[in-house]
Coordinates of all heavy atoms in Angstrom, one line a residue:
M672 N 182.6 134.8 182.4 CA 183.6 134.0 182.9 C 183.3 133.5 184.3 O 183.4 132.3 184.6 CB 184.9 134.8 182.9 CG 186.1 134.0 183.4 SD 187.6 134.8 183.0 CE 188.6 134.4 184.4
H673 N 182.7 134.4 185.2 CA 182.4 133.9 186.5 C 181.2 132.9 186.4 O 181.3 131.9 187.2 CB 181.9 135.1 187.4 CG 183.0 136.1 187.7 ND1 184.3 135.8 187.6 CD2 182.9 137.3 188.2 CE1 185.0 136.8 187.9 NE2 184.2 137.8 188.3
A674 N 180.3 133.1 185.5 CA 179.2 132.1 185.4 C 179.7 130.8 184.9 O 179.2 129.7 185.3 CB 178.1 132.7 184.4
Q675 N 180.7 130.8 184.0 CA 181.3 129.6 183.5 C 182.0 128.8 184.7 O 181.8 127.6 184.8 CB 182.3 129.8 182.4 CG 183.0 128.6 181.8 CD 182.0 127.7 181.2 OE1 181.1 128.1 180.5 NE2 182.2 126.4 181.3
I676 N 182.7 129.5 185.5 CA 183.4 128.9 186.6 C 182.4 128.3 187.6 O 182.5 127.2 188.0 CB 184.3 129.9 187.3 CG1 185.5 130.3 186.4 CG2 184.8 129.3 188.7 CD1 186.3 131.4 186.9
A677 N 181.3 129.1 187.8 CA 180.3 128.6 188.8 C 179.6 127.4 188.2 O 179.2 126.5 188.9 CB 179.3 129.8 189.0
E678 N 179.3 127.4 186.9 CA 178.7 126.3 186.3 C 179.5 125.0 186.4 O 179.1 123.9 186.7 CB 178.3 126.5 184.8 CG 177.5 125.5 184.2 CD 176.9 125.9 182.9 OE1 177.0 127.1 182.4 OE2 176.2 125.0 182.2
E679 N 180.8 125.2 186.2 CA 181.8 124.0 186.3 C 181.8 123.5 187.7 O 182.0 122.3 187.9 CB 183.2 124.5 185.8 CG 183.3 124.7 184.3 CD 184.6 125.3 183.9 OE1 185.5 125.5 184.7 OE2 184.7 125.6 182.7
E680 N 181.6 124.4 188.7 CA 181.6 124.0 190.1 C 180.2 123.5 190.6 O 180.0 123.2 191.7 CB 182.1 125.1 191.0 CG 183.6 125.3 190.7 CD 184.2 126.4 191.5 OE1 183.5 126.9 192.5 OE2 185.4 126.8 191.3
G681 N 179.2 123.6 189.7 CA 177.9 123.1 190.0 C 177.1 124.1 190.8 O 176.1 123.7 191.5
L682 N 177.5 125.4 190.8 CA 176.8 126.4 191.7 C 175.5 126.9 191.0 O 174.5 127.0 191.6 CB 177.7 127.5 192.0 CG 179.0 127.1 192.8 CD1 179.9 128.3 193.0 CD2 178.5 126.6 194.2
F683 N 175.7 127.4 189.7 CA 174.5 127.8 188.9 C 175.0 127.8 187.5 O 176.1 127.7 187.2 CB 174.0 129.2 189.4 CG 175.1 130.3 189.4 CD1 175.5 131.0 188.3 CD2 175.7 130.6 190.6 CE1 176.5 131.9 188.3 CE2 176.7 131.6 190.7 CZ 177.1 132.2 189.5
T684 N 174.0 128.0 186.6 CA 174.3 128.0 185.1 C 174.1 129.4 184.6 O 173.4 130.2 185.2 CB 173.3 127.0 184.4 OG1 172.0 127.5 184.5 CG2 173.4 125.6 184.9
M685 N 174.6 129.6 183.4 CA 174.4 130.9 182.7 C 172.9 131.1 182.4 O 172.4 132.2 182.5 CB 175.2 130.9 181.4 CG 175.2 132.2 180.7 SD 175.9 133.5 181.8 CE 175.8 134.9 180.7
D686 N 172.2 130.0 182.1 CA 170.7 130.1 181.9 C 170.0 130.7 183.1 O 169.1 131.5 183.1 CB 170.1 128.8 181.5 CG 170.5 128.4 180.1 OD1 170.9 129.3 179.3 OD2 170.4 127.2 179.7
E687 N 170.5 130.2 184.3 CA 169.9 130.7 185.6 C 170.2 132.2 185.8 O 169.4 132.9 186.3 CB 170.4 129.8 186.7 CG 169.9 128.4 186.7 CD 170.5 127.5 187.7 OE1 171.7 127.7 188.0 OE2 169.8 126.6 188.2
V688 N 171.4 132.6 185.4 CA 171.8 134.0 185.5 C 170.9 134.9 184.7 O 170.3 135.9 185.1 CB 173.3 134.2 185.2 CG1 173.6 135.7 185.1 CG2 174.2 133.5 186.2
V689 N 170.7 134.4 183.4 CA 169.9 135.2 182.5 C 168.4 135.2 183.0 O 167.8 136.3 182.9 CB 170.0 134.6 181.0 CG1 168.9 135.2 180.1 CG2 171.4 134.7 180.5
E690 N 167.9 134.1 183.4 CA 166.6 134.0 184.0 C 166.4 135.0 185.1 O 165.4 135.7 185.2 CB 166.2 132.6 184.4 CG 164.8 132.4 184.9 CD 163.7 132.8 184.0 OE1 163.9 132.7 182.7 OE2 162.6 133.1 184.4
G691 N 167.3 135.0 186.0 CA 167.3 135.9 187.2 C 167.3 137.3 186.8 O 166.5 138.1 187.3
I692 N 168.1 137.7 185.9 CA 168.1 139.1 185.4 C 166.8 139.5 184.7 O 166.3 140.5 184.9 CB 169.3 139.3 184.5 CG1 170.6 139.2 185.2 CG2 169.3 140.7 183.7 CD1 171.9 139.1 184.4
T693 N 166.3 138.5 183.9 CA 165.1 138.8 183.2 C 163.9 139.0 184.2 O 163.2 140.0 184.0 CB 164.7 137.6 182.3 OG1 165.8 137.4 181.3 CG2 163.4 137.8 181.5
Q694 N 163.8 138.2 185.2 CA 162.8 138.3 186.2 C 162.9 139.6 187.0 O 161.9 140.3 187.3 CB 162.8 137.1 187.2 CG 162.3 135.8 186.5 CD 161.0 135.9 185.8 OE1 160.0 136.5 186.4 NE2 160.8 135.4 184.6
K695 N 164.1 140.0 187.3 CA 164.3 141.3 188.0 C 163.9 142.5 187.1 O 163.3 143.4 187.6 CB 165.8 141.4 188.4 CG 166.1 142.7 189.1 CD 167.6 142.9 189.4 CE 168.0 142.2 190.7 NZ 169.4 142.6 191.0
M696 N 164.2 142.4 185.8 CA 163.8 143.5 184.9 C 162.3 143.6 184.8 O 161.8 144.7 184.9 CB 164.4 143.3 183.5 CG 166.0 143.5 183.5 SD 166.5 145.1 183.8 CE 165.9 146.0 182.4
I697 N 161.7 142.5 184.7 CA 160.2 142.5 184.6 C 159.6 143.0 185.9 O 158.7 143.8 185.9 CB 159.7 141.1 184.2 CG1 160.1 140.7 182.8 CG2 158.2 140.9 184.4 CD1 159.9 139.2 182.4
R698 N 160.1 142.5 187.0 CA 159.6 142.9 188.3 C 159.8 144.4 188.6 O 158.9 145.0 189.1 CB 160.3 142.0 189.4 CG 159.7 142.2 190.8 CD 160.4 141.2 191.8 NE 161.9 141.4 191.8 CZ 162.7 140.4 191.4 NH1 162.3 139.3 190.8 NH2 164.0 140.6 191.5
R699 N 160.9 144.9 188.2 CA 161.2 146.3 188.6 C 160.7 147.3 187.5 O 160.8 148.5 187.8 CB 162.7 146.5 188.7 CG 163.3 145.8 189.9 CD 164.7 146.3 190.2 NE 165.2 145.7 191.4 CZ 166.5 145.8 191.8 NH1 167.3 146.5 191.1 NH2 166.9 145.2 192.9
H700 N 160.2 146.8 186.4 CA 159.7 147.7 185.4 C 158.2 147.4 185.0 O 158.0 147.1 183.8 CB 160.6 147.8 184.2 CG 162.0 148.2 184.6 ND1 163.0 147.4 185.0 CD2 162.5 149.5 184.6 CE1 164.0 148.1 185.3 NE2 163.8 149.4 185.0
P701 N 157.3 147.4 185.9 CA 155.9 147.0 185.5 C 155.3 148.0 184.6 O 154.3 147.6 183.9 CB 155.2 147.0 186.9 CG 156.0 147.9 187.8 CD 157.4 147.7 187.3
H702 N 155.8 149.2 184.5 CA 155.2 150.1 183.5 C 155.6 149.8 182.1 O 155.0 150.2 181.1 CB 155.7 151.5 183.9 CG 157.2 151.7 183.8 ND1 158.0 151.1 184.8 CD2 158.1 152.2 182.9 CE1 159.3 151.4 184.5 NE2 159.4 152.0 183.4
V703 N 156.6 148.9 181.9 CA 157.1 148.5 180.6 C 156.5 147.1 180.3 O 156.0 146.9 179.2 CB 158.6 148.5 180.5 CG1 159.1 147.9 179.2 CG2 159.2 149.9 180.7
F704 N 156.7 146.2 181.3 CA 156.3 144.8 181.0 C 155.0 144.4 181.6 O 154.5 143.2 181.4 CB 157.4 143.9 181.6 CG 158.8 144.1 181.1 CD1 159.7 144.8 181.8 CD2 159.1 143.7 179.8 CE1 161.0 145.1 181.3 CE2 160.4 144.0 179.3 CZ 161.3 144.7 180.0
G705 N 154.3 145.2 182.3 CA 153.1 144.9 183.0 C 152.0 145.9 182.7 O 152.0 146.6 181.7
E706 N 151.0 145.9 183.6 CA 149.9 146.8 183.5 C 150.0 148.1 184.2 O 149.0 148.9 184.1 CB 148.6 146.0 184.0 CG 148.4 144.7 183.3 CD 148.0 144.8 181.8 OE1 147.3 145.8 181.5 OE2 148.5 144.0 181.0
A707 N 151.0 148.4 184.9 CA 151.1 149.6 185.6 C 151.2 150.8 184.7 O 151.9 150.8 183.7 CB 152.4 149.6 186.5
A708 N 150.5 151.9 185.0 CA 150.5 153.1 184.3 C 151.2 154.2 185.1 O 150.9 154.3 186.3 CB 149.1 153.5 183.9
V709 N 152.1 154.9 184.5 CA 152.7 156.0 185.1 C 152.6 157.3 184.2 O 152.5 157.2 183.0 CB 154.2 155.7 185.4 CG1 154.4 154.6 186.4 CG2 154.9 155.3 184.1
S710 N 152.6 158.4 184.9 CA 152.4 159.7 184.1 C 153.7 160.4 183.7 O 153.7 161.1 182.8 CB 151.5 160.6 184.9 OG 152.1 160.9 186.2
D711 N 154.8 160.1 184.5 CA 156.1 160.8 184.2 C 157.2 160.0 184.8 O 157.1 159.0 185.5 CB 156.1 162.2 184.7 CG 155.8 162.3 186.2 OD1 156.2 161.4 186.9 OD2 155.3 163.4 186.6
S712 N 158.4 160.5 184.5 CA 159.6 159.7 184.9 C 159.8 159.8 186.4 O 160.3 158.8 187.0 CB 160.9 160.3 184.3 OG 161.0 161.7 184.6
G713 N 159.3 160.8 187.1 CA 159.3 160.9 188.5 C 158.5 159.7 189.2 O 158.9 159.1 190.2
E714 N 157.4 159.4 188.6 CA 156.5 158.4 189.1 C 157.2 157.0 188.8 O 157.1 156.1 189.7 CB 155.2 158.4 188.4 CG 154.1 157.6 189.1 CD 152.7 157.8 188.5 OE1 152.5 158.9 187.9 OE2 151.9 156.9 188.6
V715 N 157.9 156.9 187.7 CA 158.7 155.6 187.4 C 159.7 155.4 188.5 O 159.9 154.3 189.1 CB 159.3 155.7 186.0 CG1 160.3 154.6 185.9 CG2 158.3 155.7 184.9
L716 N 160.5 156.5 188.8 CA 161.5 156.4 189.8 C 161.0 156.1 191.2 O 161.5 155.3 192.0 CB 162.4 157.7 189.9 CG 163.2 158.0 188.6 CD1 163.8 159.3 188.7 CD2 164.2 156.9 188.4
T717 N 159.8 156.7 191.6 CA 159.2 156.4 192.9 C 158.8 154.9 192.9 O 159.0 154.2 193.9 CB 158.0 157.3 193.1 OG1 158.4 158.7 193.1 CG2 157.3 157.0 194.4
Q718 N 158.1 154.5 191.8 CA 157.7 153.1 191.8 C 158.9 152.1 191.9 O 158.8 151.1 192.6 CB 156.9 152.8 190.5 CG 156.2 151.5 190.4 CD 155.5 151.4 189.1 OE1 156.1 151.5 188.0 NE2 154.2 151.2 189.1
W719 N 159.9 152.4 191.2 CA 161.1 151.6 191.2 C 161.7 151.5 192.6 O 162.1 150.4 193.1 CB 162.1 152.1 190.2 CG 163.4 151.3 190.1 CD1 163.5 150.2 189.3 CD2 164.7 151.6 190.6 NE1 164.8 149.7 189.4 CE2 165.5 150.6 190.2 CE3 165.2 152.6 191.4 CZ2 166.9 150.6 190.6 CZ3 166.5 152.6 191.8 CH2 167.3 151.6 191.4
A720 N 161.8 152.6 193.3 CA 162.3 152.7 194.7 C 161.4 151.8 195.6 O 161.9 151.1 196.5 CB 162.4 154.1 195.2
D721 N 160.1 151.9 195.4 CA 159.2 151.1 196.2 C 159.4 149.6 196.0 O 159.4 148.8 197.0 CB 157.7 151.5 195.9 CG 157.4 152.9 196.4 OD1 158.1 153.5 197.2 OD2 156.3 153.4 196.0
I722 N 159.6 149.3 194.8 CA 159.8 147.8 194.4 C 161.1 147.3 195.0 O 161.2 146.3 195.6 CB 159.8 147.6 192.9 CG1 158.3 147.9 192.4 CG2 160.2 146.2 192.5 CD1 158.2 148.0 190.9
K723 N 162.2 148.1 194.9 CA 163.5 147.7 195.5 C 163.3 147.6 197.0 O 163.9 146.7 197.6 CB 164.5 148.8 195.2 CG 165.1 148.6 193.8 CD 166.4 149.4 193.6 CE 167.5 148.9 194.4 NZ 168.8 149.5 194.2
Q724 N 162.6 148.5 197.6 CA 162.4 148.4 199.1 C 161.7 147.1 199.5 O 162.1 146.4 200.4 CB 161.7 149.6 199.6 CG 161.6 149.7 201.1 CD 162.9 149.8 201.8 OE1 163.8 150.5 201.3 NE2 163.1 149.1 202.9
Q725 N 160.7 146.7 198.7 CA 160.0 145.5 198.9 C 160.9 144.3 198.8 O 160.8 143.3 199.5 CB 158.8 145.4 198.0 CG 157.7 146.3 198.3 CD 156.6 146.3 197.2 OE1 156.6 145.5 196.3 NE2 155.7 147.2 197.2
E726 N 161.8 144.3 197.8 CA 162.7 143.2 197.5 C 163.7 143.1 198.7 O 164.1 142.0 199.0 CB 163.5 143.5 196.2 CG 162.7 143.3 195.0 CD 163.5 143.7 193.7 OE1 164.7 144.2 193.9 OE2 163.0 143.5 192.6
K727 N 164.0 144.2 199.3 CA 165.0 144.2 200.4 C 164.4 143.8 201.7 O 165.1 143.6 202.7 CB 165.7 145.5 200.5 CG 166.7 145.7 199.4 CD 167.4 147.0 199.5 CE 168.5 147.2 198.4 NZ 169.4 148.2 198.7
S728 N 163.0 143.9 201.8 CA 162.3 143.6 203.0 C 162.7 142.2 203.6 O 162.8 141.2 202.9 CB 160.8 143.6 202.8 OG 160.1 143.3 204.0
G729 N 163.1 142.2 204.9 CA 163.6 141.0 205.5 C 165.1 140.8 205.4 O 165.6 139.9 206.0
K730 N 165.7 141.6 204.7 CA 167.2 141.5 204.5 C 167.9 142.7 205.3 O 169.1 143.0 205.0 CB 167.6 141.5 203.1 CG 167.0 140.4 202.3 CD 167.4 140.4 200.8 CE 166.7 139.3 200.1 NZ 167.0 139.4 198.6
E731 N 167.2 143.3 206.2 CA 167.8 144.5 206.9 C 169.1 144.1 207.6 O 169.9 145.0 207.8 CB 166.8 145.1 207.8 CG 165.6 145.7 207.2 CD 164.5 144.8 206.8 OE1 164.6 143.5 207.1 OE2 163.5 145.2 206.1
W732 N 169.2 142.9 208.1 CA 170.4 142.4 208.8 C 171.6 142.7 208.0 O 172.7 142.9 208.6 CB 170.2 141.0 209.2 CG 170.2 140.1 207.9 CD1 169.1 139.7 207.3 CD2 171.3 139.5 207.3 NE1 169.5 138.9 206.2 CE2 170.8 138.8 206.2 CE3 172.7 139.5 207.5 CZ2 171.6 138.1 205.3 CZ3 173.5 138.8 206.6 CH2 173.0 138.1 205.5
M733 N 171.5 142.7 206.7 CA 172.7 142.8 205.9 C 173.4 144.2 206.1 O 174.6 144.4 206.1 CB 172.4 142.6 204.4 CG 172.1 141.2 204.1 SD 171.4 140.8 202.4 CE 172.2 141.9 201.4
D734 N 172.5 145.2 206.2 CA 173.0 146.6 206.4 C 173.8 146.7 207.7 O 174.8 147.5 207.8 CB 171.9 147.6 206.4 CG 171.2 147.8 205.1 OD1 171.9 147.5 204.1 OD2 170.1 148.2 205.0
Q735 N 173.5 145.9 208.7 CA 174.2 145.9 210.0 C 175.4 145.0 209.9 O 176.5 145.3 210.4 CB 173.3 145.5 211.1 CG 172.2 146.5 211.3 CD 171.1 145.9 212.3 OE1 171.1 144.7 212.6 NE2 170.2 146.7 212.6
Y736 N 175.3 143.8 209.3 CA 176.3 142.8 209.3 C 177.5 143.1 208.3 O 178.6 142.9 208.7 CB 175.7 141.4 209.0 CG 176.7 140.3 208.8 CD1 177.4 139.8 209.9 CD2 177.0 139.9 207.6 CE1 178.3 138.8 209.8 CE2 178.0 138.9 207.4 CZ 178.6 138.3 208.5 OH 179.5 137.3 208.3
L737 N 177.1 143.5 207.1 CA 178.2 143.6 206.1 C 179.3 144.6 206.3 O 180.4 144.2 206.2 CB 177.5 143.8 204.7 CG 176.7 142.6 204.1 CD1 176.1 143.0 202.8 CD2 177.6 141.4 204.0
P738 N 179.0 145.8 206.8 CA 180.1 146.7 207.1 C 181.1 146.1 208.1 O 182.3 146.3 208.0 CB 179.4 148.0 207.6 CG 178.0 147.9 207.0 CD 177.7 146.5 206.9
E739 N 180.5 145.5 209.1 CA 181.4 144.9 210.1 C 182.2 143.8 209.5 O 183.4 143.6 209.8 CB 180.5 144.3 211.3 CG 181.3 143.8 212.4 CD 180.4 143.3 213.6 OE1 179.4 144.0 213.9 OE2 180.7 142.2 214.1
A740 N 181.6 142.9 208.7 CA 182.3 141.8 208.1 C 183.4 142.4 207.1 O 184.5 141.8 207.1 CB 181.3 141.0 207.3
F741 N 183.1 143.4 206.4 CA 184.1 144.0 205.5 C 185.3 144.6 206.3 O 186.5 144.5 205.9 CB 183.5 145.1 204.6 CG 182.7 144.5 203.5 CD1 181.5 145.2 203.2 CD2 183.0 143.4 202.8 CE1 180.6 144.7 202.2 CE2 182.2 142.9 201.8 CZ 181.0 143.5 201.5
A742 N 185.0 145.3 207.4 CA 186.0 145.8 208.3 C 186.9 144.7 208.8 O 188.2 144.9 208.8 CB 185.4 146.6 209.4
E743 N 186.3 143.6 209.3 CA 187.1 142.5 209.8 C 188.0 141.9 208.7 O 189.1 141.6 208.9 CB 186.2 141.5 210.4 CG 186.9 140.3 211.0 CD 186.0 139.3 211.6 OE1 184.8 139.5 211.7 OE2 186.5 138.2 212.0
S744 N 187.4 141.8 207.5 CA 188.2 141.2 206.3 C 189.4 142.1 206.0 O 190.5 141.6 205.8 CB 187.3 141.1 205.1 OG 186.2 140.2 205.3
K745 N 189.2 143.4 206.0 CA 190.2 144.3 205.7 C 191.4 144.2 206.8 O 192.5 144.2 206.4 CB 189.7 145.8 205.7 CG 190.9 146.8 205.4 CD 190.4 148.1 204.9 CE 191.5 149.1 204.6 NZ 192.9 148.7 204.6
K746 N 191.0 144.1 208.0 CA 192.0 143.9 209.1 C 192.8 142.6 208.8 O 194.1 142.7 208.9 CB 191.4 143.8 210.5 CG 191.0 145.1 211.1 CD 190.7 144.9 212.6 CE 189.2 145.2 212.8 NZ 188.8 145.0 214.1
L747 N 192.2 141.5 208.5 CA 192.9 140.3 208.2 C 193.8 140.4 207.0 O 194.9 139.9 207.0 CB 191.9 139.2 208.0 CG 191.1 138.8 209.3 CD1 190.0 137.8 208.9 CD2 192.0 138.2 210.3
I748 N 193.3 141.1 205.9 CA 194.1 141.2 204.7 C 195.3 142.1 205.0 O 196.4 141.8 204.6 CB 193.2 141.8 203.6 CG1 192.2 140.8 203.1 CG2 194.1 142.4 202.5 CD1 191.1 141.4 202.2
D749 N 195.1 143.2 205.8 CA 196.2 144.1 206.1 C 197.3 143.3 207.0 O 198.5 143.5 206.8 CB 195.7 145.3 206.9 CG 194.9 146.3 206.0 OD1 195.0 146.1 204.7 OD2 194.3 147.1 206.5
R750 N 196.8 142.5 207.9 CA 197.7 141.7 208.8 C 198.5 140.7 207.9 O 199.7 140.6 208.1 CB 196.9 141.0 209.8 CG 197.8 140.3 210.9 CD 197.1 139.5 211.9 NE 195.9 140.3 212.5 CZ 194.9 139.7 213.1 NH1 194.9 138.4 213.3 NH2 194.0 140.4 213.6
A751 N 197.8 140.1 207.0 CA 198.5 139.1 206.1 C 199.5 139.8 205.2 O 200.7 139.3 205.0 CB 197.5 138.4 205.2
A752 N 199.2 141.0 204.7 CA 200.1 141.8 203.9 C 201.3 142.2 204.7 O 202.5 142.2 204.2 CB 199.4 143.0 203.3
G753 N 201.1 142.6 206.0 CA 202.2 143.0 206.8 C 203.1 141.8 207.1 O 204.4 142.0 207.1
R754 N 202.6 140.6 207.3 CA 203.4 139.4 207.5 C 204.2 139.1 206.3 O 205.4 138.7 206.4 CB 202.6 138.3 208.0 CG 202.0 138.4 209.4 CD 201.2 137.2 209.8 NE 200.7 137.4 211.1 CZ 199.8 136.6 211.7 NH1 199.3 135.6 211.0 NH2 199.4 136.8 212.9
K755 N 203.6 139.2 205.1 CA 204.3 138.9 203.9 C 205.4 139.9 203.7 O 206.5 139.5 203.3 CB 203.3 139.0 202.7 CG 203.9 138.7 201.4 CD 202.9 138.7 200.3 CE 203.6 138.3 199.0 NZ 202.7 138.3 197.8
A756 N 205.2 141.2 204.0 CA 206.2 142.2 203.8 C 207.4 141.9 204.8 O 208.6 142.0 204.4 CB 205.7 143.6 204.1
E757 N 207.1 141.6 206.0 CA 208.1 141.2 207.0 C 208.9 140.0 206.6 O 210.1 139.9 206.7 CB 207.5 141.1 208.4 CG 207.1 142.4 208.9 CD 207.0 142.4 210.4 OE1 207.6 141.5 211.0 OE2 206.5 143.3 211.0
S758 N 208.2 139.0 206.0 CA 208.8 137.8 205.5 C 209.8 138.1 204.4 O 210.9 137.6 204.3 CB 207.8 136.8 205.1 OG 208.4 135.7 204.5
G759 N 209.4 139.0 203.5 CA 210.3 139.4 202.4 C 211.5 140.1 202.9 O 212.6 140.0 202.3
K760 N 211.4 140.9 203.9 CA 212.5 141.7 204.5 C 213.5 140.7 205.1 O 214.7 140.8 204.9 CB 212.1 142.6 205.6 CG 211.4 143.9 205.0 CD 211.0 144.8 206.2 CE 210.1 145.9 205.7 NZ 209.6 146.7 206.8
K761 N 213.0 139.7 205.8 CA 213.9 138.7 206.4 C 214.6 137.9 205.4 O 215.8 137.6 205.5 CB 213.1 137.7 207.3 CG 212.6 138.4 208.6 CD 211.7 137.5 209.4 CE 211.1 138.2 210.6 NZ 210.2 137.3 211.3
S762 N 213.9 137.5 204.3 CA 214.6 136.6 203.3 C 215.6 137.5 202.5 O 216.6 137.0 201.9 CB 213.6 136.0 202.3 OG 212.9 137.0 201.6
G763 N 215.4 138.8 202.4 CA 216.3 139.7 201.7 C 217.5 140.0 202.5 O 218.5 140.4 201.9
D764 N 217.5 139.7 203.8 CA 218.7 139.9 204.6 C 219.8 138.9 204.4 O 220.9 139.0 204.8 CB 218.3 140.0 206.1 CG 217.5 141.3 206.4 OD1 217.6 142.2 205.6 OD2 216.7 141.3 207.4
N765 N 219.4 137.7 203.8 CA 220.3 136.6 203.7 C 221.4 136.9 202.8 O 221.7 137.3 201.9 CB 219.6 135.3 203.3 CG 218.7 134.8 204.4 OD1 218.9 135.1 205.6 ND2 217.6 134.1 204.0

């Protein structure tokens, strides 16, 4: 449903979503789709963690920015909810 809405708004298509997921699966599982050889599940998990870390390289700012942005968003939502509640009390007094 989200992909359909995004496609209607010209943001991305369902084909692009599928392609992105496919590329991620191939990239994160070279022992299945590539030439990488692993001896056990522990090695698979280590390799997967290394690949994820490489993917996140350069995006470290998100770990610092996002919690602050979420906290600010929550404050704004709480403030709006408070105003709505007060508005409902005033209209109920009539």
